[in-house]
């Protein structure tokens, strides 16, 4: 017997009925994006490795420790399974000169890959929904994207998430803050853990994002980037805040919020929860005005966010807000092979009219007893059983039996007029 093969660790199958909940969530996302005027884009899962090294930063955790990178044995190209999709969207927009006639609002849904320890809501193949607005410099679009998140939470019934907000300013402001950070941490070098010591001169801003409890007091006393922002950066940040305030959206300014990629500037934000343990970020994003130029495009501003689908669904489950798996409207009970052809004509007519019908499938020993078929009809969750008995079919009829209302009577419906009485099943 051949050895059984299993999925790669941290890369999971999504099986029914769970997959139906994913489809429900994706439908909500697509409807939301249509309301906001965002168009769908689909980029390759595999991208050139330099795209992420250049875009995300060489000393980020993703590039240093988490990317699935390999060399193409056919031609020697250095390739990477995408660990995130902002860089890929920017690459595609640049490659196809999409900003030649103005800004673009884009969204995507798809799998990403990071080699990290699998844990609750966080896997090596995970899925993201993202929204990117490219070619827009104003704070209005920053605020629009944040408000879009709130609208999504409302659409899916998600609560117990809160917004944290910060500004990373511009490169020259971050440079001055960086120098102050290095000087501060040098004075407390003995309190730095191994990770912080490694980042001290390469990326000291990331030290502020440490999860080490022993370093929290030290980080709290570090120089704050907000104190180094110039007039224009503060004006941009305050304009974003004013729009959020006008829309009644509560938030907390978090001066330690820096995000995990090097490409951010000005506005950064995260939606966080306390219900998923240490992995509390549900959605995050911000402005990245210099990324397009970094990967070889004509300079243009941009802002966006991404959310983890697994984390959102896990949080909905935690809150008891996950919708039940969809059930068919009807289950077709077909007790005899002699009526199968007639039954399938009627079933197809009902499906064409929009009625979801699950047909009982015969096994190797035949269709099975009526009793066993009714058990399957009940388990399916269908509202009705359609009984194609030989007597009913010979009279040109099918019996329609309500399964969820014991007081409702079984009725007969004409086979030839299935398209007409289909509306009764849908509207019941």
């Amino acid at each position: 017997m051949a050895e059984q093969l299993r999925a790669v660790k941290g890369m999971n199958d999504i099986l029914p009925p769970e997959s139906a909940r994913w489809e429900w969530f994706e439908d909500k996302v697509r409807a939301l994006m249509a309301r906001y005027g965002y168009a769908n884009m689909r980029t390759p899962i595999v991208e050139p490795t330099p795209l992420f090294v250049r875009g995300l930063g060489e000393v980020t955790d993703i590039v240093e420790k988490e990317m699935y990178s390999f060399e193409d044995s056919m031609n020697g190209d250095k390739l990477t399974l995408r660990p995130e999709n902002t860089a890929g969207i920017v690459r595609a927009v640049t490659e196809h000169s999409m900003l030649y006639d103005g800004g673009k609002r884009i969204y995507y849904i798809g799998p990403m890959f990071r080699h990290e320890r699998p844990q609750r809501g966080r896997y090596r193949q995970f899925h993201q929904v993202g929204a990117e607005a490219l070619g827009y410099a104003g704070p209005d679009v920053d605020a629009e994207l944040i408000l879009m998140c709130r609208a999504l939470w409302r659409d899916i019934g998600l609560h117990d998430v809160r917004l944290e907000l910060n500004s990373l300013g511009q490169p020259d402001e971050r440079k001055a803050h960086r120098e102050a950070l290095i000087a501060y941490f040098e004075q407390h070098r003995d309190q730095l853990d191994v990770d912080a010591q490694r980042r001290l001169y390469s990326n000291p801003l990331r030290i502020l994002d440490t999860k080490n409890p022993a370093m929290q007091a030290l980080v709290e006393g570090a120089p704050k980037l907000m104190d180094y922002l110039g007039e224009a950066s503060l004006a941009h940040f305050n304009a974003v805040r004013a729009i959020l305030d006008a829309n009644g959206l509560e938030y907390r300014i978090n001066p330690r919020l820096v995000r995990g990629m090097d490409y951010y500037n000005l506005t950064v934000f995260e939606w966080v929860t306390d219900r998923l343990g240490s992995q509390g970020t549900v959605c995050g994003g911000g402005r990245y005005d210099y990324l397009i130029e970094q990967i070889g495009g004509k300079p243009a501003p941009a802002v966006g966010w991404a959310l983890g689908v697994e984390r959102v669904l896990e949080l909905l489950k935690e809150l008891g807000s996950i919708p039940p798996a969809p059930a068919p409207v009807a289950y077709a009970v077909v007790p005899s092979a002699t009526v199968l052809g007639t039954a399938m004509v009627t079933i197809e007519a009902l499906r064409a009219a929009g009625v979801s019908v699950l047909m009982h499938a015969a096994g190797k020993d035949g269709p099975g007893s009526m009793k066993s078929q009714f058990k399957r009809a009940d388990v399916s969750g269908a509202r009705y059983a359609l009984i194609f008995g030989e007597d009913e079919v010979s009279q040109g009829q099918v019996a329609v039996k309500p399964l969820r209302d014991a007081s409702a009577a079984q009725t007969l419906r004409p086979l030839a007029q299935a398209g007409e009485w289909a509306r009764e099943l849908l509207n019941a």
Side-chain angles (χ1 to χ4, degrees):
M1 187 175 178
E3 179 185 357
Q4 184 179 15
L5 298 176
R6 297 183 178 274
V8 176
K9 182 179 180 181
M11 301 187 182
N12 302 322
D13 301 309
I14 303 167
L15 310 176
E18 182 65 22
S19 56
R21 298 186 177 103
W22 283 65
E23 291 179 322
W24 165 83
F25 175 67
E26 291 165 2
D27 287 345
K28 294 288 188 182
V29 167
R30 292 187 180 97
L32 174 83
M33 296 299 174
R35 297 204 305 270
Y36 278 77
Y38 282 65
N40 181 243
M41 182 182 286
R42 307 183 187 203
T43 59
I45 288 174
V46 177
E47 295 274 12
T49 298
L51 173 65
F52 302 112
V53 175
R54 198 186 309 173
L56 275 62
E58 291 189 49
V59 292
T60 56
D61 282 349
I62 295 175
V63 172
E64 287 184 322
K65 300 183 289 188
E66 298 174 1
M67 292 203 312
Y68 280 96
S69 298
F70 59 96
E71 185 175 297
D72 189 334
S73 61
M74 302 294 288
N75 56 20
D77 288 347
K78 296 186 183 303
L79 305 174
T80 293
L81 296 177
R82 62 186 187 192
E84 59 95 58
N85 206 29
T86 297
I89 293 292
V90 169
R91 190 268 312 149
V93 166
T94 300
E95 182 175 336
H96 300 287
S97 303
M98 291 179 62
L99 300 183
Y100 79 96
D101 60 346
K104 296 291 182 292
R105 288 174 164 93
I106 301 295
Y107 82 93
Y108 60 85
I109 304 174
M112 312 295 156
F113 303 84
R114 295 184 192 176
H115 195 285
E116 54 185 344
R117 182 172 63 85
Q119 51 194 296
R120 185 183 183 190
R122 190 166 190 160
Y123 306 102
R124 290 177 176 175
Q125 176 177 306
F126 59 101
H127 298 75
Q128 286 187 340
V129 168
E132 315 286 355
L134 305 104
Y136 304 99
D140 52 343
V141 180
D142 302 30
E144 176 188 71
L145 281 158
I146 295 171
L147 292 168
M148 179 197 289
C149 290
R150 182 179 69 172
L152 179 58
W153 308 149
R154 287 176 172 174
D155 288 352
I156 64 176
L158 179 61
H159 55 88
D160 208 13
V161 290
R162 62 184 183 276
L163 176 64
E164 297 194 345
L165 198 64
N166 194 21
S167 176
L168 299 183
Q170 298 292 13
D172 58 332
E173 295 158 354
R174 285 203 304 279
K175 182 180 178 182
H177 176 243
R178 182 181 187 277
E179 292 171 355
L181 272 183
I182 291 174
Y184 172 79
F185 286 126
E186 281 180 334
Q187 295 172 10
H188 304 279
R189 190 187 293 268
D190 58 328
Q191 298 180 48
L192 300 180
D193 60 19
V194 174
D195 236 14
Q197 290 185 28
R198 180 174 57 84
R199 287 175 165 153
L200 178 56
Y201 299 105
S202 60
N203 196 350
L205 195 63
R206 294 288 291 132
I207 299 176
L208 301 179
D209 199 31
T210 180
K211 301 299 187 289
N212 184 349
M215 289 184 52
Q216 296 307 308
L218 177 65
V219 166
E220 286 295 335
K224 292 178 170 52
L225 178 54
M226 195 70 68
D227 296 333
Y228 292 80
L229 298 186
E231 185 176 334
S233 293
L234 285 172
H236 186 101
F237 188 55
N238 289 332
V240 173
R241 293 180 60 192
I243 296 171
L244 301 183
D245 291 341
N247 281 272
L249 177 53
E250 295 183 1
Y251 55 86
R252 180 177 79 93
I253 296 177
N254 179 0
R256 291 175 53 188
L257 176 57
V258 297
R259 301 293 297 145
M261 277 73 88
D262 283 358
Y263 52 60
Y264 286 113
N265 70 299
L266 292 176
T267 311
V268 289
F269 59 90
E270 288 183 350
W271 291 87
V272 299
T273 181
D274 297 321
R275 288 183 172 265
L276 295 178
S278 62
Q279 302 304 321
T281 302
V282 176
C283 173
R287 182 160 284 281
Y288 51 95
D289 291 337
Y290 304 100
L291 181 58
I292 295 177
E293 184 178 6
Q294 280 179 249
I295 67 169
K298 184 178 179 180
V303 59
W305 55 253
L307 63 81
V309 177
E310 285 87 349
R311 293 191 197 180
V312 169
L313 293 178
E314 184 72 24
L315 186 54
L316 286 172
K317 191 179 299 183
E318 178 83 12
L319 296 169
S321 300
I322 282 280
V329 172
Y331 188 100
V333 175
V334 187
S336 170
T338 60
V339 299
L340 183 59
T342 301
M344 291 196 69
V345 170
T346 305
I347 291 167
E348 286 300 294
L350 289 170
R351 288 168 174 164
V355 179
S356 56
V357 182
L358 180 60
M359 188 185 76
H360 182 80
K364 62 180 181 180
D365 298 322
S369 68
M370 289 278 281
K371 182 178 180 180
S372 66
Q373 292 195 43
F374 269 111
K375 281 185 178 179
R376 290 189 176 276
D378 190 54
V379 169
S380 75
R383 298 203 301 272
Y384 299 95
L386 306 177
I387 308 165
F388 292 91
E390 290 186 4
D391 291 344
E392 289 88 351
V393 171
S394 67
Q395 298 170 25
Q397 295 180 316
V398 58
V400 180
K401 179 180 177 59
L403 295 175
R404 308 299 154 196
D405 183 357
S407 64
Q410 178 173 306
T411 58
L412 293 172
R413 292 288 185 269
L415 297 173
Q417 298 171 24
E420 297 177 18
W421 52 267
R423 288 191 291 273
E424 298 177 25
L425 303 185
L426 289 172
N427 296 330

